Amino acid sequence: MSILFRYLAARMLLAIGLALLGLTLLFTFIDLIGELGDVRPQGYTTGMAMLFVLLRTPSRLFELMPIAALVGALLALTRLAVSSEFTVMRASGLSPRRMLAYLAALGLLLGGLTLLLGEYLAPPGERAAQQLKLRGKERLVASSFESGFWAKDGRTFINIRELYPDASLRGLSLYEFDADFHLVGVRAAAHGQWSSAGHWRLTEVSETRLGPGGVQVRTLPEQEWRSAINPDLLSALMVNPERMSIGRLLSYIRYLHENKQKAKRYEIALWGKLFFPLALPVMLFLALPFAYQPPRGQGLGGRVLLGILIGLAFYLLNRLSGHVGLIYDWPPLGSALLPVAVFAAAALLALWRVERR
């Protein structure tokens, strides 16, 4: 590791850290203002709203990191250009290719650290925040569905009328079909609770069996129910796919495939997570052409504003690509890779044009 790389990395990491801090404080304040509209004297209090925003901070850091990397790199490189340090580096033999290698290494390091943040801190924080808000508002996770939450496990169709934040179930109905799609049984349970033994414990159960011999009905105070559906899968209702961990995305995609259900939205989110470390080097590449501009050709404030706009454009294109991919049935890999590829091409084109001048 050369002295020049350590010097550039220190300057850029400091600037990126300051940019990330500023953006996080700004967006946290905006989030808090938005949450205050839902505050009630009884239930969802101001303290709960502040805790909700605080718990979502890791997710916000994960989302803002590409923008902060671009803005911070612009600040650091502009300061080097203004002080003529970058000019001296170029005169001493710092080629664009070597500078790109430095930025790629630094970007991959930042991307890896941010991926760890999004994998181990953001999903638990997001889940805890949603559970806190639901408890405060005394709402149900599936309250937006008139008939409750529906799922499929093999040849059994499951309807849950009420799903609470602690993953306890109310009003559970199981409709079992045979290989010819004939209804063979119906189970209804008033309550369901996940057991530490790895299965659901149903209470106040009414079971109806349909067969050649007629209809048989029995009631049970308690019954064990083993299913591929577990609290981890149900938590997918409470956390957006983009904020789920890679492990849970894989688990939920596998479950959907096993039950012949569409999983494209979750596959796009999975590929987006896997390609996320590449977004950070691309953001740093975008900042490099500005260092080759005349130091006083554009004010520092203008460059920072431009960096924020470019970062927001990347964020919006990333979200738009996923939605368009769902609508037009694009391959999940292409939908996730498109924003990174577009901005990488733009960065290399800008650098090529600057070098030609």
Side-chain angles (χ1 to χ4, degrees):
M1 185 182 296
S2 67
I3 296 176
L4 180 59
F5 174 73
R6 292 200 300 269
Y7 179 74
L8 287 172
R11 295 289 295 270
M12 296 186 72
L13 287 175
L14 177 60
I16 291 171
L18 292 175
L20 182 60
L21 177 61
L23 288 171
T24 302
L25 291 175
L26 174 62
F27 278 85
T28 299
F29 178 74
I30 294 174
D31 290 341
L32 181 59
I33 294 299
E35 288 300 314
L36 291 178
D38 296 332
V39 168
R40 299 292 181 270
Q42 299 295 330
Y44 192 57
T45 62
T46 303
M48 295 180 71
M50 295 177 66
L51 182 57
F52 172 81
V53 173
L54 182 63
L55 288 171
R56 296 192 70 191
T57 301
S59 296
R60 185 61 72 191
L61 290 172
F62 181 82
E63 294 174 348
L64 292 175
M65 191 60 200
I67 305 177
L70 178 56
V71 173
L74 278 172
L75 286 171
L77 292 174
T78 300
R79 287 173 180 171
L80 290 174
V82 169
S83 62
S84 300
E85 290 181 80
F86 190 71
T87 303
V88 174
M89 292 177 188
R90 292 180 63 194
S92 303
L94 179 62
S95 65
R97 183 174 298 180
R98 187 179 173 191
M99 188 64 183
L100 285 175
Y102 285 164
L103 294 180
L106 182 60
L108 289 175
L109 174 62
L110 289 173
L113 294 175
T114 309
L115 183 62
L116 292 177
L117 173 69
E119 181 71 11
Y120 296 105
L121 293 181
E126 183 73 17
R127 193 176 306 110
Q130 296 297 339
Q131 290 175 347
L132 174 71
K133 189 170 185 178
L134 290 169
R135 289 192 183 100
K137 289 189 171 184
E138 299 180 354
R139 291 177 55 195
L140 308 175
V141 176
S143 60
S144 58
F145 300 91
E146 294 184 1
S147 59
F149 167 65
W150 286 88
K152 179 176 176 288
D153 182 12
R155 291 197 292 267
T156 301
F157 289 84
I158 304 158
N159 176 238
I160 303 170
R161 297 292 300 182
E162 299 176 357
L163 170 61
Y164 287 90
D166 61 354
S168 61
L169 314 177
R170 302 291 186 275
L172 180 71
S173 299
L174 309 176
Y175 302 90
E176 303 174 25
F177 292 81
D178 60 17
D180 297 322
F181 299 102
H182 297 143
L183 184 65
V184 296
V186 178
R187 274 188 290 175
H191 307 92
Q193 190 69 45
W194 183 256
S195 170
S196 58
H199 59 78
W200 293 96
R201 183 171 55 85
L202 307 181
T203 56
E204 301 180 38
V205 181
S206 174
E207 184 175 9
T208 302
R209 307 298 303 179
L210 307 175
V215 178
Q216 300 178 353
V217 180
R218 62 172 181 167
T219 57
L220 300 169
E222 186 175 308
Q223 187 180 52
E224 177 184 309
W225 174 44
R226 296 187 177 274
S227 172
I229 295 178
N230 54 49
D232 287 341
L233 294 176
L234 293 177
S235 69
L237 292 173
M238 304 176 64
V239 179
N240 291 331
E242 293 77 14
R243 294 178 175 175
M244 293 172 63
S245 66
I246 293 176
R248 291 200 171 182
L249 281 170
L250 287 170
S251 176
Y252 198 60
I253 289 171
R254 190 181 305 113
Y255 162 75
L256 292 175
H257 284 166
E258 289 175 353
N259 288 277
K260 298 180 174 59
Q261 300 181 50
K262 290 185 177 181
K264 181 157 290 186
R265 182 187 178 192
Y266 297 91
E267 290 173 345
I268 292 175
L270 174 62
W271 284 112
K273 281 266 190 177
L274 295 176
F275 280 120
F276 183 82
L278 298 179
L280 274 297
V282 169
M283 292 296 104
L284 299 185
F285 292 167
L286 282 169
L288 182 57
F290 291 92
Y292 289 87
Q293 299 292 333
R296 291 176 175 80
Q298 186 178 16
L300 182 61
R303 296 191 181 193
V304 171
L305 178 60
L306 182 60
I308 293 175
L309 292 177
I310 294 175
L312 289 175
F314 174 80
Y315 174 78
L316 293 176
L317 180 60
N318 197 32
R319 299 296 297 271
L320 181 63
S321 176
H323 291 299
V324 173
L326 284 174
I327 294 173
Y328 292 100
D329 201 28
W330 291 352
L333 177 61
S335 298
L337 188 58
L338 177 63
V340 175
V342 168
F343 276 78
L348 295 177
L349 178 61
L351 184 60
W352 174 74
R353 291 188 62 183
V354 168
E355 276 296 300
R356 285 193 62 186
R357 294 177 183 177

